[in-house]
C-alpha cells in the first residue's frame, strides 16, 4: 500500500544520494537524458559507466512518477548490460550487484533483489547502503528474522537514520517482539515525526 511505497521511496532516495555524487560529472557533460542514454549506449563496454547511468535513470524515476516504471525498466536493462560487460571482461565490480539489487527492489521484484544484494554483501560486508536495501527487501518478503541483524547493525552505526529504526520496528513486530518494536518506533518518530506509518504503529502498540 501507500505506507510501504513511502518506505521504499524514502530508502531508495537515500541510497541514490551517494550514487548521484559519482555521476554528477558525467551528467554535467550530457545534459538531457536522451543524450545521456545515447552516450551510455555508445560506451557500452564500461560496466561502471553503464551501472552509473542505470542509477541516473533510477533517480529520474523518482523525479518523474508518471514514467517511473518505464525509467526503472530502462535502468534495469542498463544494469543487466553492465553485469554482462563485467563478466565478458572478467572484472570484479561489487557495486554492480548493489545497483541492480536496488533497481529490482524498486520494481518490487524483491526475491531477485535479495539475491543480488546478498551477493554484494558477501563481497562488501557491513556496507551501510547494502545492509539497508537488503533489509528492506527482506522485510517486503516478510523475512523479518533475516532482516533483523542488518537493521540492528544500521541503528548502531547510523543512529540518526530514521528509515533504519522504522524498518527495525517492522521486523521486530514481525518476529513477535512488540515491546522492542515500540522502542524502535519511538526512535523513528523522534527522527521523523511526520511519518504516518510510524505514528499508526505507535498508536496501535501503545493501545495494548
Amino acid at each position: 500500500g501507500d505506507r510501504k511505497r513511502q518506505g521504499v521511496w524514502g530508502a531508495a532516495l537515500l541510497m541514490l544520494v551517494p550514487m548521484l555524487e559519482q555521476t554528477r560529472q558525467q551528467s554535467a557533460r550530457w545534459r538531457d537524458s536522451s543524450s545521456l542514454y545515447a552516450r551510455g549506449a555508445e560506451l557500452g563496454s564500461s560496466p561502471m559507466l553503464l551501472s552509473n547511468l542505470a542509477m541516473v535513470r533510477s533517480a529520474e524515476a523518482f523525479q518523474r512518477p508518471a514514467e517511473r516504471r518505464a525509467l526503472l525498466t530502462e535502468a534495469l536493462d542498463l544494469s543487466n548490460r553492465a553485469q554482462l560487460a563485467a563478466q565478458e571482461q572478467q572484472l570484479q565490480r561489487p557495486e554492480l550487484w548493489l545497483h541492480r539489487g536496488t533497481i529490482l527492489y524498486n520494481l518490487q521484484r524483491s526475491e531477485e533483489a535479495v539475491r543480488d544484494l546478498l551477493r554484494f554483501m558477501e563481497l562488501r560486508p557491513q556496507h551501510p547502503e547494502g545492509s539497508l536495501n537488503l533489509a528492506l527487501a527482506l522485510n517486503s518478503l516478510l523475512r523479518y528474522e533475516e532482516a533483523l541483524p542488518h537493521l540492528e547493525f544500521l541503528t548502531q552505526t547510523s543512529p540518526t537514520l530514521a528509515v533504519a529504526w522504522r524498518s527495525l520496528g517492522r521486523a521486530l513486530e514481525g518476529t513477535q517482539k512488540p515491546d522492542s518494536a515500540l522502542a524502535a518506533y519511538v526512535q523513528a518518530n523522534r527522527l521523523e515525526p511526520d511519518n504516518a506509518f510510524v505514528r499508526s504503529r505507535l498508536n496501535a502498540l501503545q493501545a495494548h
Side-chain angles (χ1 to χ4, degrees):
D2 289 340
R3 284 184 206 143
K4 187 169 166 186
R5 267 205 305 280
Q6 190 177 27
V8 172
W9 293 126
L13 280 171
L14 174 93
M15 159 73 207
L16 284 167
V17 172
M19 297 304 162
L20 290 175
E21 286 302 314
Q22 292 172 18
T23 53
R24 192 184 295 256
Q25 290 171 334
Q26 288 104 310
S27 54
R29 277 181 304 192
W30 312 316
R31 285 291 169 200
D32 67 292
S33 53
S34 58
S35 68
L36 189 69
Y37 186 62
R39 183 72 172 151
E42 191 183 310
L43 299 175
S45 63
S46 166
M48 285 314 294
L49 177 63
L50 285 165
S51 200
N52 281 340
L53 282 169
M55 298 314 281
V56 170
R57 274 292 188 252
S58 291
E60 289 174 344
F62 293 99
Q63 293 154 9
R64 289 147 58 184
E67 299 166 69
R68 181 174 66 90
R69 182 153 288 274
L71 286 163
L72 285 171
T73 302
E74 204 169 307
L76 182 59
D77 176 58
L78 281 161
S79 210
N80 285 332
R81 284 174 55 196
Q83 288 279 14
L84 196 61
Q87 284 166 20
E88 285 170 355
Q89 296 165 45
Q90 298 183 311
L91 298 171
Q92 178 81 297
R93 295 285 184 271
E95 291 74 19
L96 300 183
W97 299 106
L98 175 64
H99 291 190
R100 190 171 70 178
T102 304
I103 293 162
L104 285 164
Y105 173 61
N106 287 322
L107 280 164
Q108 298 179 317
R109 288 165 62 173
S110 292
E111 292 273 6
E112 294 163 89
V114 164
R115 281 200 293 273
D116 274 11
L117 292 165
L118 280 171
R119 185 76 180 270
F120 173 72
M121 294 298 288
E122 283 168 18
L123 300 164
R124 292 280 185 275
Q126 297 197 310
H127 188 283
E129 291 151 5
S131 294
L132 177 62
N133 290 335
L134 176 56
L136 289 168
L138 288 166
N139 266 4
S140 73
L141 294 167
L142 314 185
R143 288 163 62 177
Y144 299 120
E145 200 74 57
E146 292 168 75
L148 274 176
H150 299 288
L151 292 166
E152 284 161 355
F153 161 73
L154 276 168
T155 53
Q156 287 160 19
T157 55
S158 306
T160 59
L161 191 59
V163 65
W165 288 106
R166 188 195 329 147
S167 304
L168 178 62
R170 190 176 162 202
L172 287 164
E173 274 198 273
T175 52
Q176 313 302 313
K177 299 183 181 86
D179 293 344
S180 300
L182 179 58
Y185 288 134
V186 166
Q187 289 288 352
N189 189 56
R190 280 186 192 141
L191 294 163
E192 203 176 31
D194 298 330
N195 189 284
F197 168 76
V198 171
R199 276 206 312 275
S200 72
R201 295 319 302 147
L202 277 174
N203 293 338
L205 289 167
Q206 285 167 341
H208 286 292

